[in-house]
């Protein structure tokens, strides 16, 4: 495996042990919120105050969270790996970035937030993306155009095109190891990545999750348990040349 290309896909399950809720587990974020009320452009058009409040709460929760053993293990792998390493996260938190401050990544590493980032806002007039760590309201003036109400969370909602898709299509044929961590396989196109990687490459595929995902049958290897336990063990196997 040395000098080969690793692609990792992460989902909400990797951040559970950091205290952030998943979307679909019992007690998950969507409880009390119908998806269409908070995660579609139509919902934002209808009730921007409610959508801002939902994301303000999550932005505040993120300030108290810290990377866990799974984020740190991936950061260690990114720091040591001699080949290329692409980390694609569906998560809008910044825990992968914060883990990397402890293990600065090697040169072949790139991180992609395919569903956007909680700590960024986007101007709906200019499409400019702005770092944003505070609350947003319908009255917040946009720093780029000055208009109140112009800013929206920099989040990919249902019906919107996820980010970096063209780049992913280029790297999938070069994949040697595809790891899917903490994602339920409910949401496309991410849930279809394993199928694409298998069709386009000779990659080994492994699912690491608390329980079998909806697409588990597509993986060659499956390991179930809390990410904070199973990811560090798997990373050690990779670094020891056992995968
Ligand atoms: C643990 C653990 C522990 C717990 N350790 N594990 C077919 C093909 C293509 C598209 C579609 C399709 N059918 C329908 C669509 C459209 C739609 C879609 O997928 N809908 C489904 C509901 C059916 N998709 C879209 O609209 C997307 N856009 C799109 O398709 O554009 C057109 C297009 C077509 C073709 C190619 C390319 C583009 C956009 C999707 C946007 C998703 N946005 C959200 C919310 C915004 C972000 C936010 O607010 O945070 O993103 S939805 C939500 O789900 C969030 C997540 O990133 C995403 C995935 O959820 P995830 O991460 O899997 O979380 P959970 O909760 O589902 O699972 C957690 C897992 O962790 C569980 O399995 C647990 O067991 C596990 N776990 N504890 C390890 N300790």
């Amino acid at each position: 495996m040395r000098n080969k290309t690793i692609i990792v896909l992460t989902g909400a399950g990797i951040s559970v042990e950091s205290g952030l809720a998943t979307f679909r587990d019992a007690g998950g974020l969507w409880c009390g919120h119908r998806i269409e009320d908070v995660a579609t452009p139509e919902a934002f058009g209808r009730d921007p105050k409610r959508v801002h409040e939902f994301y303000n709460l999550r932005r505040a929760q993120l300030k108290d969270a810290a990377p866990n053993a799974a984020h740190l293990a991936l950061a260690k792998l990114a720091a040591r790996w001699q080949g290329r390493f692409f980390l694609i996260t569906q998560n809008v938190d910044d825990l992968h970035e914060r883990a990397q401050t402890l293990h600065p990544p090697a040169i072949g590493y790139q991180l992609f937030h395919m569903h956007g980032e909680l700590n960024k806002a986007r101007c709906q007039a200019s499409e400019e993306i702005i770092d944003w760590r505070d609350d947003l309201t319908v009255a917040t003036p946009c720093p780029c155009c000055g208009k109140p109400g112009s800013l929206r969370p920099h989040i990919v909602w249902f019906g919107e095109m996820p980010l970096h898709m063209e780049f992913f299509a280029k790297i999938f044929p070069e994949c040697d190891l595809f790891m899917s961590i903490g994602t339920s396989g409910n949401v496309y196109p991410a849930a279809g990545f394993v199928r694409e990687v298998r069709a386009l490459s000779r990659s080994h595929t492994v699912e690491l999750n608390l329980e079998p995902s909806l697409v588990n049958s597509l993986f060659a290897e499956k390991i179930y348990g809390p990410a904070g336990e199973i990811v560090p063990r798997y990373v050690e196997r990779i670094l020891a040349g056992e995968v």
Side-chain angles (χ1 to χ4, degrees):
M1 270 297 297
R2 291 190 190 281
N3 300 323
K4 300 279 175 84
T5 297
I6 298 178
I7 300 179
V8 176
L9 172 70
T10 63
I14 197 169
S15 296
V16 164
E17 289 150 83
S18 296
L20 301 180
T22 63
F23 295 89
R24 292 169 187 86
D25 295 329
L29 276 175
W30 303 118
C31 293
H33 287 280
R34 292 188 309 138
I35 283 183
E36 56 271 30
D37 290 339
V38 284
T40 66
E42 293 76 23
F44 187 61
R46 217 168 32 238
D47 192 350
K49 183 170 175 287
R50 179 174 185 179
V51 175
H52 277 316
E53 281 168 0
F54 176 70
Y55 285 100
N56 288 344
L57 180 67
R58 292 182 52 202
R59 214 175 284 115
Q61 284 171 347
L62 184 53
K63 286 186 182 149
D64 295 329
N68 64 54
H71 297 103
L72 293 171
L74 289 178
K76 179 177 169 185
L77 182 58
R80 305 252 178 106
W81 191 247
Q82 299 295 309
R84 295 195 305 162
F85 184 167
F86 301 106
L87 176 49
I88 303 173
T89 186
Q90 298 171 82
N91 298 343
V92 297
D93 66 50
D94 62 353
L95 297 180
H96 286 303
E97 286 92 334
R98 285 199 250 160
Q100 281 149 21
T101 59
L102 296 171
H103 297 285
I107 200 148
Y109 171 83
Q110 280 177 270
L111 169 66
F112 299 93
H113 282 274
M114 65 177 288
H115 290 164
E117 294 174 67
L118 211 39
N119 286 330
K120 290 189 176 160
R122 191 164 80 238
C123 172
Q124 296 177 90
S126 69
E127 295 293 309
E128 191 172 326
I129 297 163
I130 300 155
D131 284 335
W132 202 274
R133 283 165 200 275
D134 303 319
D135 284 357
L136 271 175
T137 72
V138 289
T140 307
C142 171
C144 82
C145 68
K147 280 192 218 146
S150 220
L151 290 175
R152 59 163 276 180
H154 181 49
I155 301 285
V156 178
W157 287 321
F158 284 108
E160 297 183 323
M161 183 60 87
L163 307 171
H164 314 293
M165 291 300 295
E166 283 179 17
F167 186 76
F168 301 157
K170 283 193 193 135
I171 61 173
F172 287 160
E174 293 156 28
C175 187
D176 295 293
L177 172 62
F178 179 78
M179 298 163 68
S180 173
I181 303 173
T183 179
S184 64
N186 273 281
V187 176
Y188 284 82
F193 285 176
V194 61
R195 194 184 292 278
E196 287 180 54
V197 165
R198 280 178 49 145
L200 297 169
S201 74
R202 298 171 63 86
S203 176
H204 181 59
T205 53
V206 56
E207 167 165 285
L208 298 116
N209 204 35
L210 194 60
E211 60 194 5
S213 74
L214 290 184
V215 290
N216 78 86
S217 62
L218 297 171
F219 289 89
E221 187 180 4
K222 305 151 207 223
I223 300 171
Y224 298 115
E229 292 174 20
I230 60 178
V231 175
R233 278 206 293 270
Y234 201 79
V235 163
E236 290 309 318
R237 281 181 55 203
I238 296 171
L239 290 172
E242 292 168 12
V243 175

